[in-house]
Amino acid sequence: MSSAPIHAGRSLVVDAVSHRFGPSTALQDINLDVKGGELVALLGPSGCGKTTLLRIIAGFIAQSEGRIVIGDDVVDALPPARRAVGIVFQNYALFPHMTIAENIAYGLAARGASRTVQKETVARMLDLVKLGGFGERLPRQLSGGQQQRVALARALAIEPSILLLDEPFAALDKNLRLDMQIEVKRLQRLSGITTILVTHDQEEALSMADRVAVLSHGRLEQFATPTSIYDTPATRFVNTFVGSANELGGTVLGTDGDFLRVRLDSGGDVSVRAPGGMLSEGSRVAVCLRPEHLRIDAPGEDGFAGVVEMALPLGPTVVHEVRTGTGAALKISEPRSGGSLLRAAGTAVRISTAGPGLATAYPQTV
Amino acid sequence: MAASGLRRSIDVSGYDLRLAMPLAGFFAAFFLAPLAVLVVLSFQTDTTGAHWGVTQYVQFLGDAFSLGVLASTLWLGVKVTAVCLVFGWPVAWLHARSGPTVKSLIMLIVLLPLLTSVVVRTFAWIVILGRQGIVNATLMSLGLVEAPLKLLYTDLGVVTALAQVQMPLMVLPLATALSRIDPNLVAASEVLGAGEWRTFAKVILPLSLPGIVAGSMLTYAASITAFITQSLIGGGQMLFMPMYLYQQASTLQNWPFAAAISIIFLIAVLAVVTVFNTLGRLSRGFAQG
Ligand SMILES: Nc1ncnc2c1ncn2[C@@H]1O[C@H](COP(=O)(O)OP(=O)(O)OP(=O)(O)O)[C@@H](O)[C@H]1O
Ligand SMILES: [Mg+2]
């Protein structure tokens, strides 16, 4: 693999980009600063504007406001052909009437590369995506995963400065998806190419990306490392969309060092993070607690009371669904160590929260 | 995905073939039988039916006039098909790339002529192309020509009128083929650095070949057999196979010769259709994803 192309990835800046389709706003003031060689995932639910942002970066649509900067160049005036971006579409969009080799050579031919250069590059690319010997086949004679690797090879053949991937794994089955995720990550590391990966699969975003941009309704909710996204979510949307979270109502008691002290409606006090700023005593908050941050069977009168509704042994973890005195349903997950046991439905338990600062409080809006 | 599900649930091979019997019977009685009669008739050497032989065929193939009529008919088909293709392709492309409203508007305009009779449309062309017709009146009032141009009863007139009459047969298959082209392919071509012409020549045109072949075949077959338009716009001076055939059979009562003309014309058309079919099969294999 020493023949793999090593091109220093160029940086990408999305500067205050907004986009409107007629009266409806698809993107609202998006700011992203992607370093050269970084892999950034755009994560968000369906219709939040991920594809729109990708198409703006590629140059297929002109944004209503803001700038796109690649390296040192503002590219807003450039057509897609001159932005030097590579794109892999969700359906791969391989040219069905051309062989694999012709597909990969397409961009080089369009740039006027000589036949020798084309042949060399095609061979190198096929090698890179481990499809040597497939050059003369047609796309329809390849499996989904192989087609995807061809799409990747075709995009990389022109040595783009930015690689854009629109839900590249969505059409693959689970095992193949994991293989391809590893493969893409390997290729990305190897080539050092700046990459934007669009996905609505949070595991994919968290496992593959250096940083994750979470979008919701056309707004950027948070742009941070996977660890920060998961452990210190900036908004209630991020907290509930990434990973799962139990939401409990509560009232602010006061501050506790860097944290906020909150009395939960179901009973018990917790020290929580307050990313929206400190809230005054007595204000209502929604406290988000991850299932792994709750403990069943607090000693004595600690924590608050609940009744087990269901126990789900999920391989390495055990999840209990518990209903609190206030009627809220909670999911509590515990590692399946030797001592942990499945509690029968109807068992009365006491629930406590693990450690200060693990839960997060957001101002209650409703 | 829904389509493949549908295809799976409606399994055509599961139906009883006997359901096709009425249609088969109809075809046998009103198509195959007359065709057989025609073949038999064409081997009579004279109108009395007393002698048999290939003299009718020898006469046609040895006669420069008859061969000329055949050639000009086949050539007319080529010209009409070419005109329909050149004008129909952009319309079909526009249809494939437009939003729903414009799409149905284009379809309506394309289909509108089919809702009027061919006779009516042909007479409209006579009004347009005549000596005192719309085209000549406009040209003369603009001072572009001194005397009216001869448009009716010319090759140009026949090709123009036929192209308009047969246009839907070209546009419909083309529109179907073009709307099947994934817009992402065009985007992929662009982003890989291809200009509009390269994208057209390397991606869009090759992928529209199945539609081009199907549309051309329909247009060709329809325009060389278009008796009404050919004879009304072509007038007495221009003779094409359908009219030639009609004269021999109806006016001269030379049924054996008319039958031989039919068979020769039929074979010529089948040859052309076979060529188109082969091209079609090749291009479909070539363009499928
Ligand atoms: N061409 C268009 N015209 C009008 N509205 C559009 C157009 N393209 C997208 N939209 C709207 O913009 C919003 C964002 O669409 P976009 O395709 O970017 O979503 P997405 O995040 O990629 O969703 P998905 O995960 O389903 O692909 C949606 O509400 C969509 O309806
Ligand atoms: Mg999308």
Side-chain angles (χ1 to χ4, degrees):
Chain A
M1 283 300 135
S2 58
S3 58
I6 306 292
H7 24 161
R10 298 224 277 164
S11 63
L12 167 73
V13 177
V14 175
D15 182 16
V17 165
S18 297
H19 190 74
R20 284 176 290 277
F21 287 113
S24 70
T25 302
L27 292 172
Q28 179 76 51
D29 194 28
I30 305 291
N31 287 286
L32 294 175
D33 196 339
V34 182
K35 292 193 278 286
E38 205 174 10
L39 196 163
V40 166
L42 294 182
L43 175 67
S46 187
C48 70
K50 306 180 295 287
T51 299
T52 304
L53 183 54
L54 207 70
R55 296 181 81 86
I56 287 173
I57 297 170
F60 294 127
I61 39 184
Q63 66 273 27
S64 311
E65 282 159 41
R67 297 185 311 161
I68 302 292
V69 186
I70 296 176
D72 300 322
D73 311 317
V74 179
V75 295
D76 296 331
L78 297 181
R82 303 210 15 235
R83 291 198 180 187
V85 298
I87 184 162
V88 174
F89 294 91
Q90 181 169 342
N91 61 356
Y92 316 142
L94 296 177
F95 303 122
H97 56 301
M98 298 182 196
T99 64
I100 301 312
E102 286 167 342
N103 264 283
I104 297 175
Y106 190 88
L108 298 164
R111 275 144 216 269
S114 72
R115 296 223 166 252
T116 0
V117 171
Q118 288 182 31
K119 264 186 110 149
E120 263 171 36
T121 315
V122 168
R124 193 155 43 89
M125 284 298 146
L126 284 174
D127 218 33
L128 186 71
V129 296
K130 298 178 181 159
L131 283 176
F134 283 74
E136 292 316 308
R137 295 219 203 164
L138 288 171
R140 65 167 173 276
Q141 297 167 321
L142 263 54
S143 73
Q146 290 168 334
Q147 288 185 23
Q148 198 209 29
R149 279 184 276 166
V150 175
L152 202 60
R154 182 179 69 176
L156 289 174
I158 59 168
E159 309 207 346
S161 40
I162 311 277
L163 181 63
L164 305 173
L165 308 169
D166 192 358
E167 311 226 9
F169 312 112
L172 305 177
D173 63 47
K174 208 175 170 206
N175 288 333
L176 191 56
R177 190 181 313 168
L178 190 62
D179 286 348
M180 285 308 299
Q181 286 169 349
I182 294 168
E183 188 69 15
V184 166
K185 184 85 181 164
R186 178 183 75 88
L187 287 174
Q188 196 265 340
R189 282 278 166 273
L190 205 64
S191 57
I193 186 169
T194 313
T195 302
I196 308 291
L197 167 76
V198 162
T199 178
H200 59 243
D201 177 348
Q202 44 160 311
E203 281 179 31
E204 183 171 298
L206 295 179
S207 64
M208 289 184 69
D210 298 314
R211 279 192 294 168
V212 179
V214 184
L215 295 175
S216 162
H217 292 108
R219 288 170 191 279
L220 183 61
E221 295 275 336
Q222 191 171 7
F223 181 35
T225 61
T227 316
S228 316
I229 294 276
Y230 193 85
D231 292 337
T232 54
T235 66
R236 189 168 164 188
F237 173 82
V238 176
N239 204 328
T240 49
F241 184 72
V242 181
S244 52
N246 297 300
E247 287 192 52
L248 286 174
T251 311
V252 174
L253 294 175
T255 53
D256 172 16
D258 289 343
F259 302 123
L260 208 58
R261 195 80 188 147
V262 174
R263 162 131 326 140
L264 296 174
D265 295 346
S266 49
D269 298 347
V270 278
S271 285
V272 300
R273 293 189 323 111
M278 287 304 173
L279 296 157
S280 57
E281 194 182 322
S283 38
R284 295 285 299 155
V285 289
V287 176
C288 289
L289 297 136
R290 298 218 180 270
E292 65 270 28
H293 293 157
L294 288 170
R295 294 268 176 279
I296 281 187
D297 275 351
E301 289 298 296
D302 284 359
F304 53 91
V307 177
V308 173
E309 294 218 313
M310 203 189 292
L312 305 164
L314 300 177
T317 57
V318 175
V319 173
H320 283 93
E321 199 162 284
V322 176
R323 197 161 293 277
T324 68
T326 56
L330 296 179
K331 281 198 178 58
I332 301 171
S333 103
E334 299 169 302
R336 195 176 198 157
S337 55
S340 72
L341 47 103
L342 292 178
R343 292 153 185 95
T347 314
V349 289
R350 302 269 328 156
I351 299 156
S352 65
T353 56
L358 288 173
T360 315
Y362 305 96
Q364 184 72 273
T365 45
V366 282
Chain B
M1 245 141 268
S4 71
L6 214 66
R7 222 173 294 135
R8 225 175 301 119
S9 61
I10 304 173
D11 185 1
V12 179
S13 63
Y15 286 111
D16 198 325
L17 271 181
R18 277 173 300 178
L19 287 174
M21 290 303 278
L23 187 65
F26 185 88
F27 262 110
F30 296 102
F31 181 71
L32 290 180
L35 195 63
V37 171
L38 210 60
V39 173
V40 171
L41 206 57
S42 74
F43 286 105
Q44 293 182 352
T45 52
D46 55 31
T47 43
T48 60
H51 304 281
W52 301 89
V54 292
T55 40
Q56 304 295 356
Y57 290 95
V58 173
Q59 192 194 333
F60 186 98
L61 296 173
D63 175 22
F65 177 77
S66 299
L67 286 178
V69 173
L70 178 62
S72 65
T73 308
L74 296 179
W75 181 231
L76 174 74
V78 172
K79 286 184 283 191
V80 174
T81 307
V83 171
C84 283
L85 185 57
V86 168
F87 286 92
W89 203 97
V91 175
W93 179 246
L94 204 64
H95 174 267
R97 285 299 115 120
S98 301
T101 324
V102 182
K103 226 185 183 90
S104 34
L105 200 68
I106 293 174
M107 217 8 103
L108 184 70
I109 293 170
V110 169
L111 290 178
L112 212 52
L114 287 183
L115 304 178
T116 54
S117 142
V118 177
V119 180
V120 173
R121 274 188 284 164
T122 304
F123 272 112
W125 275 106
I126 294 181
V127 172
I128 294 169
L129 298 174
R131 286 186 77 78
Q132 264 82 50
I134 297 169
V135 175
N136 272 321
T138 312
L139 287 176
M140 279 170 43
S141 70
L142 289 174
L144 291 173
V145 292
E146 303 267 297
L149 296 175
K150 185 172 186 248
L151 298 170
L152 212 53
Y153 314 131
T154 63
D155 204 42
L156 180 69
V158 176
V159 172
T160 310
L162 269 179
Q164 191 269 331
V165 168
Q166 313 298 0
M167 192 59 90
L169 297 181
M170 179 62 89
V171 174
L172 292 178
L174 269 182
T176 313
L178 287 177
S179 58
R180 278 210 205 107
I181 298 179
D182 176 7
N184 278 349
L185 292 179
V186 178
S189 171
E190 258 182 85
V191 87
L192 285 167
E196 285 180 13
W197 276 110
R198 179 179 280 269
T199 304
F200 174 76
K202 298 279 181 184
V203 179
I204 301 170
L205 194 60
L207 291 178
S208 74
L209 269 182
I212 291 180
V213 170
S216 298
M217 188 156 81
L218 290 173
T219 315
Y220 189 85
S223 51
I224 57 173
T225 53
F227 180 70
I228 296 169
T229 311
Q230 282 173 1
S231 7
L232 289 183
I233 308 284
Q237 289 104 317
M238 309 186 68
L239 190 58
F240 299 105
M241 288 297 270
M243 189 58 174
Y244 189 35
L245 183 56
Y246 177 78
Q247 286 174 349
Q248 293 298 325
S250 260
T251 320
L252 303 175
Q253 294 288 318
N254 189 353
W255 284 90
F257 189 53
I261 296 179
S262 304
I263 301 299
I264 289 169
F265 191 36
L266 188 69
I267 290 170
V269 173
L270 281 181
V272 173
V273 168
T274 311
V275 169
F276 274 126
N277 251 336
T278 316
L279 284 179
R281 212 167 319 114
L282 285 179
S283 70
R284 244 193 319 281
F286 169 71
Q288 241 159 28

